[in-house]
Amino acid sequence: MPPPAEIIRSKRDGAALSSDDIDGFVQGLVDGSWSDAQAAALAMAIVWRGMDERETTALTRAMTHSGQVLHWQAEAFGKPAIDKHSTGGVGDKLSLMLAPMLAACGAVVPMISGRGLGHTGGTLDKLQALPGYRVQVEPDEFARVLHAAGCAIVSAGPQLAPADRRLYALRDVTATVESVPLITASILSKKLAAGLDALVLDVKCGAGAFAPTPAAARALAESLVRVGNAAGLPTRALITDQDAVLGHTAGNALEVQEALDFLTGRDGGAGRDTEPVQRAVTLALGAQLLVLAGLAPDEPEALAMLQHSLVSGRAAEHFARMVRALGGPADVLADAQLTQAPVQRPVPAPRAGVVSAMDTRALGLAVVALGGGRLKPGDTVDPRVGLSQVRPRGTALAAGEPLALVHAASEAAAAEAVRAVQAAFTLADTAPPRPAAVQHLVG
């Protein structure tokens, strides 16, 4: 096997890496025989030169098998193990709503999630706004929670795809995150290691997404679907709108409360009256998964099943069982024990008009500045802070009416956030056309 420097040189010069080259790189990430500098250099060469589908599939497989791979057949669930993954968004609490809905529809949902970094929030950070909720569990406990609740949202832990954990940490600090092959391998290696029978990906497109343009989103979605299927995991992807905050909140405890309101009907009827883009994307992702896993014959039947999971209260009960089994509040539906920020300030509209656009990335960064996200790994997250009552596009406002409500730890932080949020909104004289929540299906 060539030494690291030769593999780096080969990719730097534009050559395709062999499977042996890729296996040696991944093994070196795990056993330490590749230094941080060498691993980062190869990552940069991949950013520059790219990888073809064969290379990307080989990297995905190698990272999948760099640690433990879960197999659920021995657990005799009698149900398909399915999951969804989002490429990251502002206000994206869909996993909290969709996992219990899918469990109520007859699936097992072993959801391996991550933390927020940069302007996007992380599912694990949201759930840990619930006092006592544990995200790190051993495989046997993971299985027990799945038996009890039908779904479990936890971290990958040290045993699953350890090569990805090391490589991602290096990419994050060496400006090598933005690579379709590396993103594809990072996402799919963890999902393949989770032992899934079907996967649907939510590829965000717009101002608040990694993929800001339809072309970029399509390239990422197609790579994920091709490599997922090539690796033996039935995979589809939806390209969805992220030119606005999803739902009405952005911030960990606030998003958990909105998800609870969706599941229980406190938002106006078990998800019926929630912000339309959020509701549409949640149902579309769920419908694709139920059909792909063979739990529904077609999309209309799948949508009916998902809606019934809400109005019957079964989805909310599955969420409560999961939270209880993972150490959270004993009756999260009655009392989630979420803490509130001490300072709440409205963001006044500077003029009369209709909300025509918002800089979603800027709104995400405003939440981070409040303490609700991380600028670097290891930063402490304040679960209380963020934005609520975010006005969706098309809302008509008089001058001075609130664009959103800031939740802050101090008056100074609130004042800064009010200015940032105000600058992120665009008001016009007429309502903009309503964008499609789901822009494209791949797979």
Side-chain angles (χ1 to χ4, degrees):
M1 186 177 297
E6 290 304 311
I7 296 174
I8 296 165
R9 181 178 292 108
S10 180
K11 177 50 68 178
R12 182 201 66 187
D13 293 343
L17 299 181
S18 70
S19 295
D20 285 344
D21 291 339
I22 291 169
D23 288 343
F25 167 56
V26 170
Q27 183 60 41
L29 288 170
V30 176
D31 65 20
S33 59
W34 277 59
S35 70
D36 285 356
Q38 290 168 328
L42 183 58
M44 184 61 78
I46 292 169
V47 170
W48 284 343
R49 294 296 194 172
M51 281 182 147
D52 61 26
E53 184 177 335
R54 180 199 59 77
E55 289 175 284
T56 306
T57 302
L59 179 60
T60 302
R61 288 184 184 276
M63 294 209 304
T64 298
H65 293 282
S66 66
Q68 182 178 24
V69 177
L70 300 176
H71 300 282
W72 299 114
Q73 292 85 350
E75 294 296 330
F77 288 121
K79 304 173 182 179
I82 64 177
D83 194 6
K84 61 73 76 167
H85 178 85
S86 168
T87 57
V90 179
D92 184 359
K93 74 282 296 175
L94 271 58
S95 291
L96 279 63
M97 304 184 295
L98 188 55
M101 292 168 66
L102 294 168
C105 291
V108 170
V109 189
M111 188 173 283
I112 304 293
S113 294
R115 298 193 180 278
L117 190 64
H119 72 281
T120 62
T123 298
L124 299 183
D125 295 320
K126 301 181 207 302
L127 284 167
Q128 288 199 296
L130 296 166
Y133 189 98
R134 291 179 292 106
V135 300
Q136 292 186 335
V137 297
E138 295 297 324
D140 57 346
E141 184 177 7
F142 197 1
R144 285 198 299 271
V145 176
L146 290 171
H147 276 293
C151 56
I153 306 176
V154 298
S155 70
Q159 297 134 317
L160 266 65
D164 174 67
R165 185 177 307 104
R166 184 176 175 214
L167 181 58
Y168 186 85
L170 291 171
R171 289 168 56 212
D172 183 55
V173 297
T174 57
T176 52
V177 171
E178 292 85 354
S179 161
V180 167
L182 292 177
I183 292 171
T184 298
S186 178
I187 291 172
L188 291 178
S189 62
K190 293 189 287 289
K191 296 304 180 183
L192 286 161
L196 300 179
D197 297 308
L199 173 67
V200 168
L201 297 140
D202 181 6
V203 178
K204 303 294 188 190
C205 177
F210 159 75
T213 66
R218 186 72 175 261
L220 178 56
E222 289 179 348
S223 174
L224 287 162
V225 169
R226 285 197 306 266
V227 174
N229 284 313
L233 174 60
T235 304
R236 292 179 185 170
L238 295 179
I239 298 174
T240 67
D241 175 55
Q242 177 68 150
D243 271 328
V245 172
L246 276 166
H248 301 293
T249 61
N252 296 303
L254 296 166
E255 292 185 48
V256 172
Q257 187 60 61
E258 185 176 4
L260 285 167
D261 291 344
F262 179 92
L263 289 169
T264 60
R266 289 192 291 260
D267 67 347
R272 285 191 290 266
D273 295 332
T274 193
E275 198 274 331
V277 172
Q278 177 171 264
R279 176 179 178 271
V281 174
T282 302
L283 293 174
L285 290 165
Q288 289 297 325
L289 267 171
L290 293 179
V291 173
L292 190 60
L295 291 170
D298 52 38
E299 288 184 45
E301 179 62 24
L303 290 170
M305 291 168 63
L306 292 163
Q307 193 63 44
H308 180 70
S309 79
L310 292 169
V311 297
S312 67
R314 293 185 64 235
E317 179 54 35
H318 278 274
F319 183 81
R321 286 185 216 158
M322 177 187 75
V323 170
R324 184 165 55 248
L326 287 168
D331 188 355
V332 71
L333 303 181
D335 181 12
Q337 302 175 31
L338 296 168
T339 55
Q340 296 185 353
V343 179
Q344 298 180 20
R345 294 290 178 266
V347 181
R351 51 157 284 193
V354 179
V355 176
S356 63
M358 62 185 75
D359 185 338
T360 315
R361 185 175 187 276
L363 293 173
L365 290 172
V367 174
V368 173
L370 284 165
R374 295 179 182 82
L375 294 174
K376 61 183 184 298
D379 282 353
T380 300
V381 171
D382 186 342
R384 306 169 299 171
V385 302
L387 307 175
S388 68
Q389 300 177 34
V390 178
R391 298 301 185 103
R393 289 164 294 184
T395 304
L397 297 171
E401 283 193 280
L403 296 163
L405 186 67
V406 167
H407 298 248
S410 69
E411 291 285 357
E416 183 177 343
V418 165
R419 289 190 292 270
V421 172
Q422 199 173 54
F425 275 82
T426 300
L427 297 171
D429 294 328
T430 58
R434 185 178 293 278
V438 177
Q439 300 172 3
H440 196 74
L441 168 65
V442 176

